[in-house]
């Protein structure tokens, strides 16, 4: 990461503001460090700090809130429900991004609404599989294995939100990313689409059709995973570092048969990073 110049603001807890000294044409990444009186903890307790901070800092009474999926999002949903039950927050409506988050929110007592294209969402929080350092471009959907889960719906809610926070651990925030990007493709001619994607990233990635039952090889076996919209999922597994997620997403968008993918770029965006020391690093763009 580029060297960071430092300035200080006054908060109820000590906060350090760091801004990149690298010139930027259109946006700036701003980083805060929020310390806690914790030395080391497991990922669950670290993410709980991130979840509580996200709810306390960003959610106010009367908001429509997009409810994400994942461990940190589940904790944020439970905490939000607790604040509603105690009266600390009122008149919150949740818009779930998945069946799982809808179930968690219902158990927590959060009133729910169904997402529509015209939905007005004040704020949304979500987990991410990994986030590209500096750019804050995220990958979601690496782990989705339930038919009722939808990358399309999740991205739609995230993009519709006026403000967005991702909650991750520090090993999920890095440059030179590797690993997979899920790509939704039309089921009818999925193999032609897979071959085109394979040619696009020749030597840098492998393309596997996701199976609904364990690992079934590159073709997805006899029971390929089918999304609720009826699409196949191709896992584009990068074996070389990804230099730019935005460029990869742009290339995928141009491939015939590609419906959507797990790369999301949304600004303004905040990333709450749970550090192994017990503190939180807050990155804005």
């Amino acid at each position: 990461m580029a060297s960071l110049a430092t300035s200080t603001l006054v908060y109820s807890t000590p906060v350090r503001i760091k801004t990149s000294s690298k010139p930027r044409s259109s946006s700036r990444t701003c980083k805060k460090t929020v310390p806690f009186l914790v030395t080391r903890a497991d990922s669950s307790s670290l993410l709980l700090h991130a979840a509580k901070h996200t709810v306390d800092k960003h959610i106010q009474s009367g908001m429509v809130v997009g409810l994400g999926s994942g461990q940190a999002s589940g904790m944020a949903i439970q905490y939000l429900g607790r604040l509603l039950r105690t009266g600390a927050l009122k008149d919150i409506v949740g818009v779930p991004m998945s069946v799982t988050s809808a179930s968690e929110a219902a158990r927590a007592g959060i009133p729910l609404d169904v997402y529509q294209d015209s939905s007005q969402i004040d704020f949304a929080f979500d987990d991410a599989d990994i986030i590209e350092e500096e750019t804050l471009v995220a990958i979601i959907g690496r782990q989705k294995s339930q038919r009722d889960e939808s990358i399309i719906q999740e991205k739609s809610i995230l993009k519709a939100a006026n403000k967005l926070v991702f909650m991750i651990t520090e090993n999920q925030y890095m440059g030179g990313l590797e690993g997979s990007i899920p790509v939704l493709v039309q089921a009818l001619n999925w193999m032609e689409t897979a071959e085109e994607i394979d040619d696009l990233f020749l030597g840098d990635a492998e393309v596997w059709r996701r199976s609904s039952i364990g690992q079934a090889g590159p073709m997805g076996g006899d029971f390929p995973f089918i999304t609720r919209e009826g699409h196949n999922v191709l896992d584009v597994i990068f074996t070389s570092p990804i230099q730019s997620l935005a460029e990869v997403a742009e290339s995928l968008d141009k491939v015939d048969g590609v419906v959507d993918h797990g790369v999301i770029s949304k600004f303004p965006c905040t990333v709450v990073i749970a550090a192994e020391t017990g503190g939180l690093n807050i990155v804005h763009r």
Side-chain angles (χ1 to χ4, degrees), residues 28-80:
R28 182 178 67 179
T29 301
C30 176
K31 182 176 181 180
K32 303 179 187 177
T33 301
V34 182
F36 286 88
L37 298 179
V38 177
T39 53
R40 287 194 176 273
D42 60 29
S43 61
S44 295
S45 57
L46 294 175
L47 287 173
L48 180 58
H49 284 308
K52 288 184 175 181
H53 173 88
T54 297
V55 173
D56 288 337
K57 179 73 174 178
H58 297 281
I59 298 181
Q60 300 176 358
S61 294
M63 278 187 168
V64 177
V65 180
L67 308 175
S69 296
Q71 186 177 14
S73 293
M75 293 174 178
I77 289 170
Q78 293 176 20
Y79 182 57
L80 178 57

Side-chain angles (χ1 to χ4, degrees), residues 1-4 20 22 24 27-31 128-139 166 168-178 242-246 264-265 267 269 271 273 281 283-285:
M1 185 184 295
S3 61
L4 299 175
S20 173
K22 181 180 178 179
R24 298 186 183 278
S27 61
R28 182 178 67 179
T29 301
C30 176
K31 182 176 181 180
D129 294 306
I130 202 160
I131 293 181
E132 190 174 52
E133 194 175 60
E134 294 286 337
T135 69
L136 305 193
V137 179
I139 298 175
F166 284 113
I168 59 172
T169 57
E170 61 183 350
N171 62 356
Q172 295 172 291
Y173 182 71
M174 63 184 69
L177 308 183
E178 293 184 0
I242 301 171
Q243 299 303 316
S244 170
L245 271 181
I264 178 166
S265 176
F267 305 111
C269 175
V271 180
I273 306 168
N281 294 323
V283 185
H284 303 279
R285 189 173 182 195

